[in-house]
Amino acid sequence: MQTHAVVLNAPKTLALETVALTSPGPDDLVVEIAHSGISTGTEKLFWSGDMPPFPGMGYPLIPGYEASGEVVEVGPNSRYKVGDHVFVPGANCYDGVFGLFGGATRRLVTDQDRVTRIDPAHGAEGALLALAATARHAMAGLDKSVPDLIVGHGVLGRLLARLTIAAGAPAPTVWEIDPDRAAGADGYEVVHPDKDERRDYKSIYDASGNGGLLNDLVGRIVKGGEIVLAGFYTQPLQFSFPPAFMKEARFRVAAEWAREDLTATRTLVENGALSLDGLITHQAAASDAPGAYRTAFEDPTCLKMILNWETPS
């Protein structure tokens, strides 16, 4: 089988190309992708060439770990059926191309254990499930607390705020320095950090990926407060020790989602507790992929870009 896929041949060198797919096995599904999201975190770093050494990294590679589509072929051991709609967190099913993420493609082959069945009515929003699950993973579980301050009002910051409210916790404060991104809050307040005088936050979630903020954030927590690193940081992180020592500050790194996060997040979305409305600001045909990636990474008004694969060429 062959398919159209976004191929990153080198930093800032991206094109829609025809690639060969590996043959499906008895536990595999073949999925026709309808929508795939562009990550402004890790994918941007691969695109720019700024990604530090990462397992499975290499060029050429197919990006994308936010994809949704329809099952068109099932193996004999499958628990799915043709016509099911699923979320796919990428795939590594390509000959001669790294499938580090592998979801930015018209068709893919994946093990059935990697996908999650979703309601087709979600449309393009179905591709947002991984990002929502990442936000949920940062917050849910033992010894974790919900945020009372979130730094950054991008898609991840908005999802963290929405999940906090969905959990029945007090509405968090959200910091944002870009006036174009300050809009869109629902049930919580977005402020510029210079206008926030609070120094008593118990749990601060940084969704900005800006490691240079750590000293400022330490100054905003109560004694024993926590700073959660929910972004992706390319440079070594550092902070001044004496203020952190006086505060007995705690730092926690939020990892990527786990399977149970996908399941729980899907339930929240389907029962109406978590809305994904308003997070997708841009969509483009897959044939416009080079321009779409530049817009996603360079246009500050773009919260989330979705590629539409139904007309790939």
Side-chain angles (χ1 to χ4, degrees):
M1 289 189 294
Q2 291 184 324
T3 188
H4 290 99
V6 173
V7 179
L8 190 59
N9 288 292
K12 297 187 179 180
T13 305
L14 180 149
L16 191 68
E17 299 183 8
T18 300
V19 298
L21 293 173
T22 57
S23 298
D27 295 311
D28 288 337
L29 308 174
V30 180
V31 182
E32 289 280 344
I33 299 301
H35 303 97
S36 62
I38 299 176
S39 166
T40 55
T42 49
E43 286 186 61
K44 181 178 180 179
L45 297 175
F46 284 116
W47 180 81
S48 65
D50 295 326
M51 188 71 177
F54 197 87
M57 180 179 176
Y59 298 99
L61 67 84
I62 296 174
Y65 57 87
E66 306 168 333
S68 60
E70 181 179 349
V71 175
V72 295
E73 185 179 326
V74 299
N77 298 338
S78 177
R79 301 184 301 274
Y80 292 81
K81 64 181 184 298
V82 171
D84 282 345
H85 286 255
V86 293
F87 169 82
V88 189
N92 188 12
C93 57
Y94 309 98
D95 285 333
V97 184
F98 286 94
L100 179 59
F101 296 135
T105 178
R106 178 55 173 139
R107 173 175 288 202
L108 55 77
V109 178
T110 182
D111 189 289
Q112 63 178 336
D113 289 337
R114 286 180 52 80
V115 310
T116 300
R117 188 178 282 106
I118 60 173
D119 187 337
H122 293 325
E125 291 179 352
L128 299 177
L129 193 59
L131 196 51
T134 297
R136 193 260 180 188
H137 184 82
M139 296 170 51
L142 294 175
D143 300 322
K144 293 182 180 180
S145 58
V146 297
D148 47 7
L149 173 63
I150 298 165
V151 181
H153 199 225
V155 176
L156 181 58
R158 292 169 196 240
L159 285 165
L160 288 167
R162 294 179 186 188
L163 283 166
T164 300
I165 294 172
T173 298
V174 178
W175 281 0
E176 180 55 62
I177 61 173
D178 186 339
D180 290 330
R181 293 199 167 197
D186 185 7
Y188 57 91
E189 184 180 12
V190 180
V191 301
H192 192 286
D194 293 345
K195 296 182 178 181
D196 184 3
E197 298 181 355
R198 284 188 61 178
R199 299 290 189 277
D200 61 349
Y201 289 110
K202 296 178 181 178
S203 185
I204 299 177
Y205 279 54
D206 176 50
S208 71
N210 183 359
L213 295 176
L214 283 182
N215 283 324
D216 291 336
L217 300 183
V218 167
R220 297 290 189 142
I221 59 173
V222 298
K223 189 168 185 177
E226 178 185 53
I227 296 170
V228 180
L229 303 173
F232 196 91
Y233 307 85
T234 59
Q235 300 298 321
L237 299 177
Q238 59 183 9
F239 56 91
S240 178
F241 182 75
F245 172 80
M246 297 297 292
K247 289 289 185 74
E248 295 189 59
R250 293 179 292 118
F251 297 87
R252 177 164 62 84
V253 177
E256 66 180 355
W257 53 268
R259 179 74 185 187
E260 57 267 25
D261 298 303
L262 277 181
T263 302
T265 303
R266 180 191 62 187
T267 300
L268 289 171
V269 172
E270 292 182 350
N271 68 20
L274 175 64
S275 171
L276 302 178
D277 292 347
L279 300 177
I280 298 172
T281 55
H282 293 67
Q283 294 196 49
S287 56
D288 296 330
Y293 275 78
R294 284 193 299 272
T295 297
F297 299 149
E298 297 176 352
D299 184 348
T301 67
C302 182
L303 288 178
K304 173 59 70 172
M305 171 70 78
I306 295 289
L307 290 182
N308 187 324
W309 287 91
E310 294 176 331
T311 54
S313 60

